[in-house]
């Protein structure tokens, strides 16, 4: 399967790249015809810093108190906090970066994290937002806990509508035939095409 993989490089910064694998993949909410591997952005110093800079430049005029980091994006989130703290509106602000739990697709804040969301301006950072379901749920959760969602930053995003500013480095336009289907309506399944792998934020596990 990896032999089919190829790289897509950001035009804004060539250090930011993702690996794309065509096939048939099952995610938590959908079936997709491409696996988008963002391990490099999540794990490699230079790529993480470069991605953080792109996001921070987009939100440089946005006051931010807290970054909620999902999908193992905490290294990117830490660099974002550093960059944002040097912007005019966030000058010397001690920005928090937290990774709360997602339970039954809902944001769950333990008491020790509540102080970073209640009455705070919160930026959501995630690796992938294809259907937008998780993003919308977390944005609603931020409001439920008394915070204000001020933006969403995602490495790879699909075409969805969100009521806060959303920035993505890569989108479905970068993979022209990318498609996402509800598991019950997946045309690949209906054609009898075998699922190559199960995919989540940690990576993919081949189905033999």
């Amino acid at each position: 399967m990896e032999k089919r993989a190829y790289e897509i490089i950001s035009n804004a910064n060539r250090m930011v790249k993702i690996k794309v694998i065509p096939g048939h993949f099952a995610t938590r909410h959908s079936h997709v015809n491409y696996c988008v591997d963002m391990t490099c952005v999540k794990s490699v110093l230079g790529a993480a810093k470069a991605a953080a800079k792109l996001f921070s430049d987009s939100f440089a005029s946005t006051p931010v108190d807290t970054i909620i980091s999902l999908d193992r994006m905490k290294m990117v989130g830490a660099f974002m906090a550093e960059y944002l703290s040097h912007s005019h509106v966030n000058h010397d602000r001690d920005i928090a970066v937290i990774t709360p739990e997602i339970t039954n697709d809902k944001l769950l804040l333990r008491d020790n994290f509540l102080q970073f969301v209640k009455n705070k301006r919160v930026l959501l950072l995630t690796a992938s937002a294809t259907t937008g379901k998780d993003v919308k749920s977390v944005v609603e959760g931020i409001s439920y806990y008394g915070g204000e969602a001020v933006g969403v930053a995602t490495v790879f995003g699909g075409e969805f509508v969100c009521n806060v500013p959303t920035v993505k480095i890569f989108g479905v336009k970068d993979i022209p035939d990318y498609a996402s289907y509800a598991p019950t309506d997946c045309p690949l399944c209906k054609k009898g095409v075998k699922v190559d792998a199960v995919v989540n934020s940690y990576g993919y596990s081949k189905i033999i």
Side-chain angles (χ1 to χ4, degrees):
M1 181 170 62
E2 291 82 356
K3 292 179 180 178
R4 290 180 274 163
Y6 61 93
E7 283 187 339
I8 298 177
I9 301 171
S10 169
N11 291 326
N13 190 317
R14 295 189 61 80
M15 292 190 70
V16 183
K17 59 186 74 175
I18 56 177
K19 184 184 295 184
V20 178
I21 308 169
H24 182 193
F25 303 93
T27 73
R28 188 171 59 180
H29 296 307
S30 62
H31 282 201
V32 293
N33 61 343
Y34 283 89
C35 171
V36 182
D37 182 358
M38 288 163 278
T39 304
C40 182
V41 173
K42 295 178 182 182
S43 307
V44 178
L45 178 68
K49 287 183 73 173
K53 186 65 167 61
L54 293 180
F55 288 137
S56 301
D57 288 348
S58 296
F59 289 104
S61 60
T62 304
V64 177
D65 299 301
T66 298
I67 297 171
I68 285 182
S69 169
L70 303 180
D71 298 341
R72 299 190 305 110
M73 290 284 287
K74 201 163 188 178
M75 181 158 69
V76 177
F79 286 126
M80 283 180 66
E82 173 68 16
Y83 286 130
L84 287 171
S85 70
H86 295 295
S87 67
H88 176 70
V89 297
N90 293 302
H91 184 62
D92 289 336
R93 192 186 303 274
D94 200 12
I95 299 173
V97 182
I98 64 172
T99 304
E101 297 164 73
I102 304 295
T103 303
N104 296 325
D105 296 330
K106 301 293 184 183
L107 177 68
L108 174 61
L109 282 184
R110 302 292 180 177
D111 292 353
N112 52 307
F113 276 160
L114 186 58
Q115 62 181 314
F116 300 117
V117 174
K118 188 175 183 179
N119 299 322
K120 302 294 184 181
R121 291 160 294 197
V122 183
L123 178 64
L124 173 60
L125 169 65
T126 182
S128 178
T130 51
T131 65
K133 184 175 181 179
D134 284 340
V135 164
K136 294 174 185 177
S137 178
V138 174
V139 166
E140 290 173 1
I142 291 168
S143 178
Y144 172 81
Y145 284 108
E148 177 191 359
V150 295
V152 175
T154 184
V155 178
F156 178 77
E159 298 298 331
F160 62 88
V161 177
C162 187
N163 60 1
V164 297
T166 301
V167 172
K168 50 194 174 187
I169 297 175
F170 302 98
V172 292
K173 68 181 186 305
D174 296 299
I175 312 173
D177 59 338
Y178 179 90
S180 174
Y181 311 101
T184 54
D185 296 324
C186 176
L188 296 172
C189 289
K190 291 178 180 179
K191 291 179 182 178
V193 178
K194 177 178 171 290
V195 172
D196 292 304
V198 175
V199 180
N200 65 15
S201 64
Y202 291 93
Y204 60 91
S205 297
K206 294 179 186 178
I207 296 178
I208 299 174

